[in-house]
Amino acid sequence: MTWLTYWGHVHVTGIDLGLERVLPVAQKLGVTQPSAKIFTVAGTNGKGSTTTVLASILQAQGYKVGLYQSPHIYRFNERVKLAGQEATDQELIEAFVQVDQARRECGLSLSFFEATTLAAFLIFQKQACDIWVLEVGLGGRLDVVNVIDPDVAVITNIGLDHTDWLGDTIEKIAFEKAGIIRPDIPVVFGGLQTLPDAIASKAAECRANLQVAQRDYFYQLAETPYTWQFASAGVTLQLPTGSLALENIATAVAAILMSDVTVSQDAICQGIQNAKLSGRFELRNIEQKTVIFDAGHNGHGVDFLLKQLRNFLEYNKQYTEVIAVFSMLADKDISTVVDLLKPAITSWHVAPLNNPRAASLEHLMHALKDQTTQTFDSIQDAFSTAIAKVKPHQLILVCGSFHTLEAVWEYLEECQ
């Protein structure tokens, strides 16, 4: 049994929010008060892009950065990066052994996410990283990442996702995300929406310096191609656009400028241009066919995917049809995602995911009832059929879940 399989079976449930079990283990491991600077990023969408840009800029300045993200798409090692490189299997195994020993000594069980997050913290500590950039897994207040006090708290945006766990309103979810805020620290809210009361209240209670997008810092595309302008009190910068969402790049820049970490404008520019993230409108050429991988799995994420798709098609007019290889998890808002995608998709290749949380084929087909669809037993079969039959005027979009992308990647690995 591998360590990842082991952690998937230690605890009775895959998701179990709360710090009561994990905090004693974290304290036993000595990871709750690192000497490094900590940037913690919560939010509904954009966490992966924001943490990627943060780490990239800080690395360009010369800091040794530990970057923790989730979920992964292709390999578990993607979740733990040291100076831009994935942690090795050996580094992870050594950390897992320590985490398991500590939890046994504490007489506690840990969920997969709790155990693997503590392992990441151990690796960053052992490698003496100057700065840790941490992506919150679910919510904020009760997420294992929150056992560490951040020096800068970032909340990208608030949307209706994971409502069974976080609440069914924007304010309830915002309350959970605001749990990462600590007294007297800088806080960035990057959402292009009305600032939720829960975040404003928590920041006021903590006397935190709250900066809100397009209220306290501003950004817009410049007249010069591939550039944009960032402005806040006392600073105006002309910066490159990069390959990730501008709102998330701007959020990362705001967080760095609010921190007490020294970073030059050259490092900001270089970091933005270097920042890449798998599964975010990721273009790949497979068997001389164009395939786009995007992990957007809620309304906000799909809105951004469609914006990028429209831009891509505008400059690549040879493509007039989009074939979707699609599946989702049952606890996501499948109807909203499908309704948003429908106008852009010519036909759908649909299959259930090999995951306990997978939506059934019946559930998926109910949402797609008026669409041109083909059903398959697996995502691998759906993709292999699509890639074999796609015509020169068509491109393939693999979407709906990180797990959908992972299944296609596994298929491609097997074909090599």
Side-chain angles (χ1 to χ4, degrees):
M1 180 184 287
T2 67
W3 272 106
L4 297 181
T5 304
Y6 172 76
W7 288 125
H9 290 85
V10 167
H11 197 57
V12 290
T13 59
I15 299 174
D16 190 359
L17 295 179
L19 304 181
E20 297 84 4
R21 287 174 301 98
V22 72
L23 186 55
V25 184
Q27 290 168 334
K28 184 88 174 172
L29 291 166
V31 296
T32 57
Q33 295 181 306
S35 58
K37 291 286 183 184
I38 307 296
F39 287 76
T40 297
V41 181
T44 302
N45 293 287
K47 298 190 296 290
S49 297
T50 303
T51 50
T52 296
V53 176
L54 276 167
S56 185
I57 291 172
L58 293 164
Q59 282 157 202
Q61 184 62 40
Y63 295 106
K64 187 173 185 180
V65 180
L67 172 61
Y68 178 64
Q69 298 173 303
S70 66
H72 62 279
I73 296 177
Y74 305 130
R75 295 168 301 283
F76 178 85
N77 309 54
E78 294 169 28
R79 298 183 181 220
V80 185
K81 294 190 178 75
L82 297 156
Q85 300 301 310
E86 294 174 9
T88 65
D89 290 352
Q90 190 58 39
E91 286 170 325
L92 288 165
I93 289 167
E94 288 174 4
F96 289 151
V97 170
Q98 287 182 260
V99 172
D100 196 41
Q101 182 178 342
R103 75 150 190 99
R104 288 174 185 273
E105 290 175 4
C106 292
L108 295 165
S109 66
L110 296 175
S111 71
F112 178 94
F113 188 75
E114 290 165 346
T116 53
T117 302
L118 292 182
F121 294 170
L122 276 174
I123 291 170
F124 297 160
Q125 189 154 281
K126 182 177 180 181
Q127 294 295 326
C129 292
D130 304 311
I131 299 172
W132 299 8
V133 178
L134 308 178
E135 178 182 335
V136 170
L138 184 60
R141 183 175 64 94
L142 301 177
D143 187 88
V144 55
V145 168
N146 207 32
V147 300
I148 294 178
D149 293 334
D151 295 289
V152 181
V154 180
I155 301 173
T156 56
N157 54 58
I158 308 295
L160 292 174
D161 198 14
H162 299 294
T163 52
D164 290 349
W165 297 98
L166 304 179
D168 57 3
T169 68
I170 292 294
E171 283 297 335
K172 287 178 182 176
I173 294 172
F175 173 79
E176 296 298 330
K177 309 286 186 188
I180 67 170
I181 299 173
R182 298 293 195 277
D184 304 311
I185 68 168
V187 178
V188 177
F189 179 66
L192 297 179
Q193 62 192 114
T194 302
L195 175 68
D197 291 339
I199 294 173
S201 298
K202 182 68 173 179
E205 173 193 327
C206 290
R207 303 176 306 282
N209 178 12
L210 174 63
Q211 300 283 300
V212 178
Q214 308 297 44
R215 186 194 78 178
D216 304 301
Y217 68 91
F218 303 87
Y219 58 92
Q220 63 179 12
L221 289 172
E223 293 181 4
T224 311
Y226 307 113
T227 62
W228 62 287
Q229 291 176 329
F230 178 96
S232 62
V235 63
T236 300
L237 302 174
Q238 184 108 338
L239 300 169
T241 51
S243 65
L244 300 176
L246 182 57
E247 68 184 80
N248 299 325
I249 295 173
T251 300
V253 171
I256 285 174
L257 294 178
M258 286 181 69
S259 75
D260 61 3
V261 176
T262 301
V263 175
S264 69
Q265 183 171 345
D266 284 347
I268 292 173
C269 293
Q270 184 183 335
I272 289 170
Q273 290 173 312
N274 291 345
K276 301 287 188 294
L277 190 59
S278 297
R280 272 66 168 196
F281 207 79
E282 180 185 359
L283 279 162
R284 294 179 66 177
N285 185 290
I286 300 171
E287 297 179 15
Q288 286 73 55
K289 317 288 176 59
T290 297
V291 182
I292 297 169
F293 294 85
D294 195 282
H297 53 265
N298 53 35
H300 187 279
V302 173
D303 273 336
F304 185 65
L305 157 61
L306 291 171
K307 186 186 301 182
Q308 291 176 295
L309 180 61
R310 283 191 291 271
N311 289 340
F312 178 80
L313 293 174
E314 178 68 26
Y315 289 100
N316 296 272
K317 295 185 183 299
Q318 69 270 34
Y319 299 114
T320 58
E321 294 183 356
V322 179
I323 311 302
V325 175
F326 178 79
S327 195
M328 291 185 68
L329 297 177
D331 55 5
K332 300 299 180 182
D333 189 351
I334 296 172
S335 295
T336 293
V337 168
V338 167
D339 287 346
L340 287 169
L341 286 171
K342 278 179 182 178
I345 305 301
T346 306
S347 64
W348 305 71
H349 285 49
V350 184
L353 294 166
N354 182 21
N355 185 288
R357 294 163 56 203
S360 67
L361 193 55
E362 291 74 20
H363 189 173
L364 295 167
M365 291 305 294
H366 178 74
L368 290 161
K369 56 183 178 293
D370 59 344
Q371 298 292 288
T372 302
T373 60
Q374 281 183 265
T375 60
F376 300 85
D377 292 334
S378 69
I379 286 295
Q380 288 87 343
D381 289 345
F383 180 79
S384 64
T385 301
I387 202 76
K389 293 186 176 181
V390 67
K391 296 177 174 58
H393 69 282
Q394 298 172 324
L395 61 81
I396 296 172
L397 172 64
V398 182
C399 63
S401 172
F402 283 103
H403 301 282
T404 312
L405 276 58
E406 184 178 29
V408 173
W409 178 81
E410 288 174 355
Y411 165 79
L412 293 171
E413 284 281 287
E414 290 167 4
C415 292
Q416 288 180 357

